[in-house]
Amino acid sequence: MIKRRVGIVGLEHYHVTGWVESLELFSNQLEIVALYDPDPALGETLAPTYFDPFLSPRLDERYRALPFLTDLDQLIAEHALDLALVTLPNVAAPAAIVKLAAAGVHMLVDKPGAANAPAAIEAFAVARQHGVKVATGLLRRYGRGWQQAREMLRQGRAGELLSTEVVFNTSSPAVRQPANHIFRRDLQGGGILLWLGIHDIDQLLWLTGERIVAVQAMSASGARAGIDVEDAMSVSLAYANGAVGTLNCAYVLPRSVSEGYLAVRGTSGSFSVAFDGSVHWIGSGSARDPVIEEELTYTNWAVPGYGAVAPAVIDDLLGAIEEDREPLANGDALIAALRVIDAAYESAATGKRVAVNWRD
C-alpha cells in the first residue's frame, strides 16, 4: 500500500501533539513527511507553549529528523502532500486552508478553523471547488452516546422539539494559564463560546436537525482573570420550529476535568447526554407504567493521542477520500456553528436579539 504523505501545519496549538499521535495510529496508511510553523523556534522545541494537560507536551524526538519549514508555500511545493493536519490559530487557519485546498491537499482541521463564519465560508468554498475532503475537530459527532441520541431523535422518540439546554463548565484561566494562546483575541477571535461552545452548538444543530434562527446573549469579560476574551457566555436560542433553548458555558472550575450536559426535550420524550457521553432517556410508557427511563453508558478505550474518537475522525476522512464523499463532520458543519456564534457575539455586544445569518 502506498502511504499518503502528511504535513503538520501549525505547531503552536493546544491539541497538536494529540492529533499527531492519533495520526501515528494509521502508520500503515499515513506517513508524516514535514512540519510547518511560522515560528522557527518551534522547529527546535517541537512543543507548543501551552498544551492540553491530557496530551503530550511535545512531539516525539524522531520528528527532529523531518524537514521543518516556516514558509507554507515551500512546504506545499517541495513535499507533495496528500493530507495536512491544520492546527493553526483561528485567525491564520483560513488562509492556510485556501492554499492547501488550491494544491489539492485533503485536510484534518481542528475546530473552530476560523474566527468567524465569513472567513470559514471563503476558505471551505475553495476546498469544495478543488474537490478536497476536509474533516474537522467536531469530535462529538463520532461518540457512541451522541450517535445513539441522534438515532433516538430520528426514530421520533422525542416527538416534536420543545426545548434544549446546555451546561458546560471547564477549567478556569488560572488553571489553563492566562497567557495561554487560546485566550488571545488577536489569535483566536473569541473566548469560550468559540473555542469550546462550538461543540455544543454543533450538537444542537446536528441532533435536532433544526436551524437556530435567532439568539439573545450575554457574556462575562475575562479581564478579571487576566484574559481579553469572554470567560463565560449565556445564550438563549430560538429554533425555526418555534422551540427555544439555553446554552451556558464558562471557564470556572479549579481543576482540569470538565463537566456538563446537553438535553433535548420533546412532546413525547426527553434525553440528556452527559459530558462523558452517557445518555439518560425519559419517555412515555403504558397506562400501567406511564414513564420509561433508560440509562445508556459507554466505555471509551484508552488509546494514544487526542482521545478515543480521534481515530474515528481520521478513519472517516480516509474513507471520504477513497469513496469521494463528505466526512461526517466537514467544513459545512463548522460554518453552521460559526453562524450561530457570530450572532451570539453580536447580541452580547449590542444587548439585542440577533437573527442568525443563513443566507450566504
Side-chain angles (χ1 to χ4, degrees):
M1 178 182 292
I2 298 176
K3 296 183 180 181
R4 297 185 187 276
R5 295 169 60 83
V6 181
I8 308 303
V9 178
L11 298 187
E12 186 67 290
H13 194 281
Y14 206 56
H15 300 145
V16 62
T17 58
W19 277 119
V20 168
E21 289 183 1
S22 294
L23 288 166
E24 290 169 355
L25 298 175
F26 294 79
S27 59
N28 62 327
Q29 301 176 65
L30 302 174
E31 179 184 5
I32 297 174
V33 298
L35 312 174
Y36 159 82
D37 196 275
D39 182 356
L42 288 164
E44 296 295 324
T45 65
L46 297 179
T49 308
Y50 299 96
F51 57 92
D52 188 313
F54 296 100
L55 305 179
S56 299
R58 57 177 47 82
L59 300 185
D60 190 273
E61 283 296 309
R62 67 180 180 275
Y63 286 102
R64 293 191 184 280
L66 296 185
F68 175 85
L69 301 96
T70 58
D71 186 312
L72 183 56
D73 292 319
Q74 184 182 359
L75 173 75
I76 294 170
E78 295 182 359
H79 292 282
L81 301 180
D82 300 301
L83 191 150
L85 168 67
V86 180
T87 39
L88 288 167
N90 298 336
V91 298
I97 292 168
V98 167
K99 287 187 176 184
L100 291 162
V105 180
H106 303 290
M107 283 170 271
L108 171 58
V109 178
D110 194 54
K111 55 79 198 167
N116 51 56
I121 290 168
E122 181 178 353
F124 291 116
V126 178
R128 285 193 299 274
Q129 177 186 349
H130 290 273
V132 162
K133 307 304 179 187
V134 181
T136 71
L138 295 172
L139 299 172
R140 292 186 191 172
R141 291 193 180 206
Y142 296 87
R144 287 175 293 172
W146 300 96
Q147 291 183 347
Q148 182 64 42
R150 188 171 189 266
E151 182 60 25
M152 289 177 173
L153 283 170
R154 292 298 177 269
Q155 293 171 354
R157 292 183 62 182
E160 183 181 356
L161 179 66
L162 295 175
S163 69
T164 64
E165 64 205 58
V166 174
V167 175
F168 178 75
N169 294 308
T170 190
S171 46
S172 68
V175 173
R176 293 175 180 246
Q177 302 183 53
N180 192 323
H181 43 71
I182 66 173
F183 298 136
R184 288 183 52 180
R185 185 173 298 278
D186 63 323
L187 294 178
Q188 307 298 354
I192 189 167
L193 186 66
L194 184 61
W195 182 249
L196 293 172
I198 193 169
H199 287 296
D200 291 303
I201 292 171
D202 172 63
Q203 283 303 292
L204 292 172
L205 295 169
W206 183 64
L207 289 170
T208 68
E210 289 284 347
R211 277 188 172 180
I212 296 169
V213 295
V215 299
Q216 179 88 49
M218 294 185 293
S219 64
S221 168
R224 63 188 179 281
I227 63 176
D228 69 348
V229 293
E230 86 281 354
D231 58 357
M233 195 87 172
S234 179
V235 188
S236 296
L237 311 167
Y239 290 88
N241 78 329
V244 296
T246 60
L247 183 154
N248 293 280
C249 52
Y251 290 120
V252 291
L253 300 180
R255 64 181 188 192
S256 296
V257 179
S258 303
E259 63 184 25
Y261 70 94
L262 180 152
V264 175
R265 319 296 187 184
T267 54
S268 302
S270 169
F271 74 81
S272 61
V273 187
F275 184 70
D276 64 2
S278 59
V279 181
H280 182 214
W281 171 265
I282 306 173
S284 301
S286 63
R288 178 177 297 179
D289 187 8
V291 177
I292 298 175
E293 293 195 46
E294 298 176 19
E295 194 77 31
L296 306 175
T297 59
Y298 302 89
T299 299
N300 290 319
W301 299 106
V303 295
Y306 189 31
V309 299
V313 181
I314 297 167
D315 186 63
D316 183 35
L317 174 58
L318 295 176
I321 295 169
E322 290 291 335
E323 300 160 18
D324 191 23
R325 59 168 175 81
E326 284 297 304
L328 176 61
N330 61 8
D332 288 341
L334 275 180
I335 290 169
L338 286 168
R339 289 179 186 275
V340 179
I341 289 171
D342 287 355
Y345 280 142
E346 181 181 346
S347 175
T350 63
K352 299 178 180 179
R353 175 185 169 111
V354 174
V356 179
N357 178 14
W358 293 102
R359 296 184 301 277
D360 51 6

